[in-house]
Amino acid sequence: MRIDLKEDLRSKIYNNCYNLLADSYSRVSESSLRKNLDLWAKNKKGLYDILSTSPYWNEEELCLVVKTRIYRKLNYNLFIQMMNNLMENHQVQNDVWKKGIAEGCLLISNCIRRKEFDGFVKQEELDAIRSNFTAYYSSELTNDEILAQLADKKYHGSYRSSNGIAHALIIKYKVRSGQKWCKILNKIMEGEGLNVGKTDLYNCKNYEEVKGVRDYVNKNATDWYIDYYYNYNQFFALMSDILTPTEYDETLYISLNPIDYLTQSHGDNWGSCHSLRNRGCYHAATLTMLTDTSTLIAYTLPKEYDYDFSLKDKKTRQSLFIGDNKNSIFQNSFYPSKEMNESRTVREILEEILANYNGLPNSWVKVNNCEDIDSSDYLGYCDWNCGQEFACVHLKESERGYGITIGHNAYSVDSSSEYVYNNDTLESDPSECHHCSSTSDLTYIEYYDRYVCDSCLEEYYSWCEDIQEYRLCEDCYYLVDKGYSVSEDADHYWCEETEDYYSDAAYVEGYGYVNRNDIEDSSKFYKGDDGYWYRVCDREETFEGVEINA
């Protein structure tokens, strides 16, 4: 049993997948891609049969399309983490200032939301602040003067309260009730010099530049956020958003489309270790997730589109894994924020569909462990083992096992006979030469699906100029008129006169091919009225057409 698609949809999926792989790899085997898509059609059949019964199903895009309302919660820990990461990247050394500015911004955002600025700076706190400045100032300073002095960073080294720095930021940037949080945060970032990167990170405008920037940042930053955000504006927008609770309408896509597995980390100004176009350190998972029985890709887009959802850069993305018995759901956190904001909505949609499929009440139990997961063939990044948020639920009244298998062996991008073997590449393992077992200076020849070392390449192979590929010498023909060899796929003719191969020849009736130059210049051949070539020696002599001299 396999997913049966219309011919035009199959062709569209194949061509788009091929182009996506070819953008990242110079060698893409057509037979390998077809085998992987065959695995997809076979292994995703169970999920397809379930999801395609939903009224949300879109057959042309092979996904559920659900318009829903999302509530975005606050994420204080993520904000602190991102602020600290930002200051690490700017090499801010003062620990008090680093802690103070991050926690101070949190305090300010809460005050704006709750409108608590009146009486915010309490006298006992100012008295505590005053005691830290006795070595520098007279105790006669007013409260406002103390806070004004705090607003100058050079005094923070002697100050030990991040709460006081929050007060200083309020005075320095004239924060008041009714102001917008994003504008205040922007003023603080600009005023404290945190809005301009010290590396080329924030100037990185295209994906070709990312690798060099990423290599630098990996040595200079302690977390993934700076690593995968390509410009400061995108980074700032997330910091602002995660402290701005809101409800908004969103279109969710829950996809089985093969293209979405390849583009799962093609983000709108973000990426991750599963990124195919950046060849992330775990991007082999794009194929192992495509070919398994469990994985779905849920995502949102930065704006509405009418078609080709899978080819658009994603606003957010989450991978979901459905249990082997279709009675459990395991969710990774949403990227790029690594939160679970939209997760409840996605899970509710799938819970209802799976409960109906099982013929059981839509009642689920949350599980706090990953003991039932087999990810031995996954080759992806296991967020759930690395402290990231996840959710796992089991259908309450189901009596079958809740095991979940994540990942499946997938054929390498360049070979239809070898599986993907490492998490950071889709290529086959170029282990040894097909002829001599050498492991150095190997060249891959797709036609024969093998690697060949340089010395064996010179000894056993010829380069076909017409198709620009290597072929075994026994499969090649040297063209005298061209001065080079071609494969059997190229035009070649055996000349009976010279006993050599040529690229251009004419057929002589009852004799064979003769190269074009010899047949036109030789008196041995003539072209008959019927347009065919003949040998003169085979012509029958008659009196027809002979002139009579009287």
Side-chain angles (χ1 to χ4, degrees), residues 202-326:
Y202 301 139
N203 297 322
C204 185
K205 301 299 183 184
N206 58 64
Y207 296 107
E208 285 73 18
E209 299 176 20
V210 168
K211 187 179 185 305
V213 174
R214 186 173 62 208
D215 291 345
Y216 175 87
V217 174
N218 280 340
K219 300 175 184 177
N220 294 276
T222 57
D223 208 82
W224 67 275
Y225 299 105
I226 290 288
D227 188 357
Y228 288 109
Y229 274 89
Y230 306 137
N231 59 70
Y232 170 77
N233 290 336
Q234 181 72 16
F235 193 75
F236 172 82
L238 179 58
M239 286 197 299
S240 177
D241 285 348
I242 58 182
L243 292 186
T244 307
T246 186
E247 290 185 57
Y248 55 95
D249 292 323
E250 188 77 275
T251 301
L252 288 172
Y253 305 88
I254 305 176
S255 178
L256 274 176
N257 194 317
I259 301 167
D260 277 315
Y261 296 94
L262 300 183
T263 63
Q264 61 180 274
S265 289
H266 288 194
D268 180 36
N269 282 318
W270 65 269
S272 84
C273 56
H274 281 201
S275 174
L276 171 62
R277 65 181 167 196
N278 295 335
R279 295 183 69 161
C281 54
Y282 284 93
H283 76 279
T286 56
L287 289 184
T288 62
M289 294 164 79
L290 183 152
T291 55
D292 72 11
T293 60
S294 66
T295 305
L296 298 172
I297 302 295
Y299 59 93
T300 63
L301 297 175
K303 63 180 183 179
E304 294 289 328
Y305 295 96
D306 295 327
Y307 55 89
D308 286 344
F309 309 140
S310 57
L311 292 173
K312 306 298 189 293
D313 284 355
K314 294 166 173 53
K315 178 182 175 183
T316 62
R317 182 267 298 165
Q318 180 185 54
S319 51
L320 301 104
F321 311 102
I322 307 303
D324 301 338
N325 290 316
K326 308 300 184 283

Side-chain angles (χ1 to χ4, degrees), residues 506-508 514-522 525-526 533:
Y507 184 74
V508 178
V514 176
N515 75 80
R516 185 67 62 176
N517 289 335
D518 281 356
I519 201 170
E520 292 179 350
D521 296 340
S522 175
F525 309 96
Y526 72 96
W533 287 93

